[in-house]
Amino acid sequence: MKSKSGERTLLASVLMSSPGPLVVGTALFFGRSSTQFADFVRRTAELGAIIVSWIVFRIVNKKDELDAAYKDKLERTANICVGAAMCLSGAAMLFIALFSPGSKKGNVIPGLVIAVLGVITNTWFWLRYRRLNREKPNAILAVQSRLYCAKAAVDACVTASLTFVAVAPAKPVAWYVDLLGSVIVAFYLIINGVITIRGKNNVMNWKQTP
């Protein structure tokens, strides 16, 4: 039953994450915030990683006859995808933040709304995955817990940055706040991506206890 709950939660993650890249991508037609553009790259990469995790989780839990080594390999592949997505997102965000021109930001409200909703939704998924993994430890669920904690923190940072840009778009300091938000998010993603790829689940209090 716990595997069913995990699978349903992963499917819900896929469905809830799917509109994000579309909405934020559409918002880019109306605003040119570097944080908003990098946020689009991040959400797209993360969606792909979550889909891979969902597929692998289904395969591993539906086929009991799978060799243990093969199961470990599949789970490791899914977790590497998650870590790679985080590193890719962070690298893209850092590049865009450092090399994007300090031009007028335009309308960032759509991206801001998505970021606020992201804080709420991702916090819920983080707590959900954390509880599921505590009840029945699973490598994929543990990494999803890490991913969603990072996603919630990133969305909080994006929210703060875009709020400042929306409130004072004409202020020169708005560009620096936008830049700072992107850089902080980028490093946070890269660090957590590396940790995920290396498989250190006990770093930064990520180790789950029954």
Side-chain angles (χ1 to χ4, degrees), residues 65-142:
E65 71 277 6
L66 282 179
D67 179 69
Y70 184 58
K71 281 187 177 182
D72 289 341
K73 183 178 180 180
L74 287 176
E75 290 177 345
R76 177 68 178 151
T77 298
N79 294 344
I80 287 175
C81 287
V82 173
M86 296 172 79
C87 289
L88 174 63
S89 300
M93 181 168 280
L94 189 60
F95 178 83
I96 293 167
L98 295 177
F99 295 102
S100 64
S103 58
K104 183 180 178 181
K105 300 302 180 183
N107 182 13
V108 298
I109 297 300
L112 176 59
V113 171
I114 290 296
V116 172
L117 294 176
V119 172
I120 298 171
T121 303
N122 293 330
T123 298
W124 183 87
F125 273 115
W126 166 47
L127 296 175
R128 172 70 173 169
Y129 280 119
R130 186 167 179 265
R131 183 176 67 82
L132 287 173
N133 188 57
R134 280 182 169 179
E135 292 174 352
K136 185 178 180 180
N138 179 278
I140 292 178
L141 297 181

Side-chain angles (χ1 to χ4, degrees), residues 47 71 143 192:
L47 175 60
K71 281 187 177 182
V143 170
N192 279 278

Side-chain angles (χ1 to χ4, degrees), residues 13-15 17-19 21 42-52:
S13 296
V14 173
L15 296 177
S17 298
S18 296
R42 171 181 73 90
R43 292 180 188 279
T44 302
E46 288 173 353
L47 175 60
I50 295 169
I51 291 174
V52 171

Side-chain angles (χ1 to χ4, degrees), residues 19-38:
L22 178 62
V23 175
V24 176
T26 302
L28 289 174
F29 287 101
F30 306 99
R32 293 176 293 279
S33 162
S34 61
T35 300
Q36 188 167 255
F37 186 79

Side-chain angles (χ1 to χ4, degrees), residues 9 14 19 23 31 34-35 37 55 63 72 80 120 131 140 145 150 158-159 171 182 187 193-194 203:
T9 303
V14 173
V23 175
S34 61
T35 300
F37 186 79
I55 293 173
K63 296 183 178 181
D72 289 341
I80 287 175
I120 298 171
R131 183 176 67 82
I140 292 178
S145 174
V158 171
T159 296
K171 300 287 186 181
S182 296
F187 278 109
V194 171
V203 179

